[in-house]
Amino acid sequence: MRRPMVAGNWKMNGSRAESAALVDGIVQGMGSVTKAEVVLCPPYILIPLVAEKLAGRHDIPWGGQNLDTHVSGAYTGEVSGPMLKDFGCTYVIIGHSERRTYYHEDDGLVAEKFGAAHAAGLTPILCIGETLEEREAGQTEAVVARQLDAVLAAHGIDGFKNAVLAYEPVWAIGTGKTATPEQAQEVHRFIRGKLAAKDGKVADNLRILYGGSVKGSNAKELFGQADIDGGLIGGASLKAEEFLTICRAAE
Ligand code: PEP
């Protein structure tokens, strides 16, 4: 049985005070979240604050939004997997569409980052998904297959034994346009089927999150689909009550 998961991607948002209040609000409401794993992914600079606030709790792991492939050295502006680990991170988001689009991360680099996460003892949350243009051209499955194949080629199906996938149609991220539950389920089923052709058990145990304008009001229907195991949440993860509503919907 796959444990549902809801991960908050704060993106580049939040002052120290806002972030502290957000964590406090989530912690206060955690009594009503009994089954879902709740993960917080703040910007790098806020990780120490989140780590300090959540120290000693075992119910809310945290993670990075990105990492560099190198372990240390002359890479100005970058943060490595071992550094994230040192600050208590458990997870790291890899290949978010904003990284792929604005920072030109290609499939090869994303696959390298996936490996760097594992090497540092972190669980990658690998994001894949098509643009609107690609969907309209009927290329959705080909695109997610290509994105998965790059990681499979580098790390094999065993790489997915300790990983989380997030299907995030690019056209749904931060746009207010959510995939319908049926549209999302169709792609999730395709992804699981593709991995199952390599190893049924790995595919069956793998959590595949949906991401793209998930809100308290649409989460339940999305998470009710057979192959959707929770969500990667951007905008709505910045409001404690909204985020908690989404977490409850995952149960
Ligand atoms: C995301 O950042 O991964 C995301 C899905 O954003 P939003 O929920 O704001 O669409």
Side-chain angles (χ1 to χ4, degrees):
M1 192 58 192
R2 299 182 294 268
R3 185 179 177 198
M5 173 171 167
V6 178
N9 171 17
W10 296 2
K11 311 196 191 202
M12 196 175 72
N13 290 297
S15 65
R16 282 193 296 169
E18 285 163 349
S19 305
L22 178 55
V23 175
D24 287 343
I26 293 167
V27 164
Q28 273 163 26
M30 279 301 286
S32 62
V33 182
T34 52
K35 288 202 213 94
E37 183 175 21
V38 175
V39 180
L40 304 183
C41 297
Y44 287 145
I45 200 166
L46 292 167
I47 289 175
L49 178 141
V50 170
E52 200 177 303
K53 291 198 83 68
L54 296 177
R57 295 186 71 99
H58 300 288
D59 56 344
I60 312 180
W62 59 94
Q65 299 174 10
N66 179 35
L67 50 57
D68 189 67
T69 54
H70 303 91
V71 165
S72 64
Y75 303 100
T76 302
E78 294 298 320
V79 170
S80 72
M83 288 168 159
L84 293 177
K85 189 76 184 168
D86 190 35
F87 277 84
C89 290
T90 308
Y91 290 97
V92 60
I93 299 171
I94 301 285
H96 191 279
S97 74
E98 288 152 18
R99 302 288 324 165
R100 292 180 189 258
T101 305
Y102 305 142
Y103 304 99
H104 314 294
E105 294 192 7
D106 61 16
D107 292 340
L109 179 59
V110 170
E112 255 191 82
K113 290 191 171 193
F114 187 92
H118 278 155
L122 298 163
T123 299
I125 302 174
L126 172 67
C127 301
I128 57 174
E130 82 289 359
T131 63
L132 184 58
E133 232 180 12
E134 290 163 340
R135 172 163 283 264
E136 286 176 351
Q139 293 168 349
T140 299
E141 290 187 356
V143 170
V144 298
R146 189 204 72 221
Q147 291 169 333
L148 275 177
D149 281 339
V151 178
L152 282 167
H155 306 290
I157 186 69
D158 283 356
F160 288 86
K161 280 185 180 162
N162 176 29
V164 175
L165 261 183
Y167 167 60
E168 300 207 303
V170 179
W171 48 272
I173 299 177
T175 59
K177 274 189 218 156
T178 318
T180 64
E182 295 72 27
Q183 277 175 324
Q185 166 59 20
E186 202 183 332
V187 183
H188 281 235
R189 190 195 310 113
F190 169 76
I191 292 167
R192 201 180 304 283
K194 180 174 167 59
L195 296 173
K198 304 229 175 260
D199 188 319
K201 191 157 175 253
V202 172
D204 209 37
N205 288 334
L206 181 72
R207 291 182 289 183
I208 309 179
L209 313 181
Y210 168 78
S213 298
V214 177
K215 304 185 276 266
S217 56
N218 60 20
K220 210 165 181 82
E221 228 193 319
L222 283 159
F223 299 165
Q225 303 296 309
D227 289 293
I228 301 184
D229 306 308
L232 179 55
I233 317 300
S237 72
L238 298 171
K239 295 169 230 145
E241 252 328 299
E242 182 85 6
F243 185 61
L244 287 161
T245 303
I246 295 169
C247 295
R248 286 190 290 266
E251 313 209 306

